[in-house]
Amino acid sequence: MRSTTIKDVAEKAGVSAATASRVLSGHSATSEEARQAVRTAAEELGFRPNAQARSLRKTSTQTIGLLLPDVRNPFFADLAHAVEQRAREFGYLTLFGNANESQEQQDSYVDVMLSQRVDGLIAAPQGEARDLSGLLAGEVPTVFVDRVIEGAGVPTVTADNAGGITDAVRHLAGLGHTRIGYIAGPQATSTGRERLEAFRAAVVETGSDQDADLVYFGDFQAASGAAGARFLLDLENPPAALLAADSLMSIGAVGVCNERALSIGSDLAFVAYDDIEAFTLVNPALTVIAHDVHAMGRLAVDLLIAEIAGESPQSVVLPSRLIIRGSTPSLSEGSPE
């Protein structure tokens, strides 16, 4: 007679084999409903986990997981490189997951990484705490990087989003640009929310135009940056300055300006978020809101290693800075507003 396997238990409980394995090995990164279903199924089937296998699963795998929103984004590619290199210095290999700005895809990778028994996880998350309850309720050391989830209770490494956006709006307003078009990020992310809140506050502070039509909601993808630029430039009273809330949306918006033969730095002022190499290669080079992505990645690993060692590291906020280049002329230098 064939012995009962973990797959049999999972099928009867209506969960994945990875979830059943986590429940039966005592891992708490599961919902109460799943734990009850698995335990009931195991009891009914007479399943007994192998003690030797349990002990092996408790050993270190010398791997960490890195879950990023979109590996096509040059910022996150640089972040991944920094994390991977720093992890190697501690003797860890890195497993990568690309959420593709999808919460469903994010959840799938979390489940896979937990089933692979990573020693810790670094993630730039989206959604709310309840969306990652399986991870946040667990025993796997976790650090959030770039993005945060309120109430998650894990250490984070982030940039000063509000300071960077505020400096950019002040800079544009100081040059005479009081009608500023803003391409915002998705409000399901902390960075999207923080940057939009800072933009609106800075607009009020500088006495700039508070027209609601000057804000277009994108999704941190190049296509939405292009759509945002088209929407804003097609307004009856279009802005003379654009500010895009991340690098991919900036790339999309610059493409639209090129399509329309608009000269950035002459016909239009432009500020991009994140200082990627491509922004220094366009003519004129783009003014950017920058922060040290390499420091962010290395610090995230340092915090995670401290957590794995049983410590309680403090969160870190890295400064942002405005790098002024040729894409932001004063109104007297460029076209009239």
Side-chain angles (χ1 to χ4, degrees), residues 310-322:
E311 302 174 15
S312 300
Q314 297 297 309
S315 296
V316 177
V317 178
L318 296 173
S320 295
R321 62 193 179 102
L322 186 69

Side-chain angles (χ1 to χ4, degrees), residues 31-45:
S31 68
E32 178 58 36
E33 182 181 4
R35 289 195 291 272
Q36 184 60 46
V38 170
R39 289 165 183 162
T40 299
E43 183 177 352
E44 291 178 356
L45 293 174

Side-chain angles (χ1 to χ4, degrees), residues 39 48 55 61 78 88 98 108 166 176 263 279 300:
R39 289 165 183 162
R48 295 292 180 271
S55 67
T61 61
D78 287 344
R88 282 178 60 86
N98 174 39
S108 296
T166 300
S263 177
F279 293 160

Side-chain angles (χ1 to χ4, degrees), residues 17-153:
T19 297
S21 176
R22 289 203 298 276
V23 171
L24 295 172
S25 62
H27 202 298
S28 59
T30 50
S31 68
E32 178 58 36
E33 182 181 4
R35 289 195 291 272
Q36 184 60 46
V38 170
R39 289 165 183 162
T40 299
E43 183 177 352
E44 291 178 356
L45 293 174
F47 179 79
R48 295 292 180 271
N50 183 280
Q52 183 179 17
R54 276 203 310 267
S55 67
L56 287 174
R57 284 194 294 268
K58 292 180 181 178
T59 62
S60 171
T61 61
Q62 288 302 116
T63 60
I64 65 170
L66 176 61
L67 180 58
L68 297 175
D70 191 344
V71 295
R72 296 171 299 176
N73 188 320
F75 171 81
F76 288 119
D78 287 344
L79 180 65
H81 183 265
V83 167
E84 189 267 342
Q85 291 297 302
R86 184 59 168 168
R88 282 178 60 86
E89 293 178 18
F90 287 101
Y92 284 84
L93 295 180
T94 305
L95 302 180
F96 293 93
N98 174 39
N100 201 36
E101 296 292 359
S102 162
Q103 193 166 302
E104 180 180 359
Q105 197 159 312
Q106 168 184 270
D107 295 344
S108 296
Y109 271 113
V110 167
D111 192 58
V112 168
M113 288 179 176
L114 292 177
S115 71
Q116 291 295 314
R117 296 284 162 184
V118 294
D119 293 337
L121 178 64
I122 296 173
Q126 55 191 310
E128 301 178 11
R130 65 173 180 268
D131 301 320
L132 286 172
S133 58
L135 172 64
L136 298 176
E139 299 171 357
V140 175
T142 301
V143 171
F144 287 158
V145 62
D146 185 56
R147 303 177 180 181
V148 302
I149 292 182
E150 186 176 354

Side-chain angles (χ1 to χ4, degrees), residues 1 3 8 13 16 96 132 142 156 180 186 194 201-202 236 253 256 272 288 326:
M1 179 177 177
S3 61
D8 297 327
S16 68
F96 293 93
L132 286 172
T142 301
T156 62
I180 303 168
E194 289 170 9
E236 183 176 348
V256 168
V288 296

Side-chain angles (χ1 to χ4, degrees), residues 225-251:
R230 293 189 185 99
F231 172 83
L232 293 166
L233 294 173
D234 286 340
L235 291 174
E236 183 176 348
N237 181 15
L242 292 181
L243 170 55
D246 96 315
S247 56
L248 282 184
M249 295 195 302
S250 297
I251 290 171

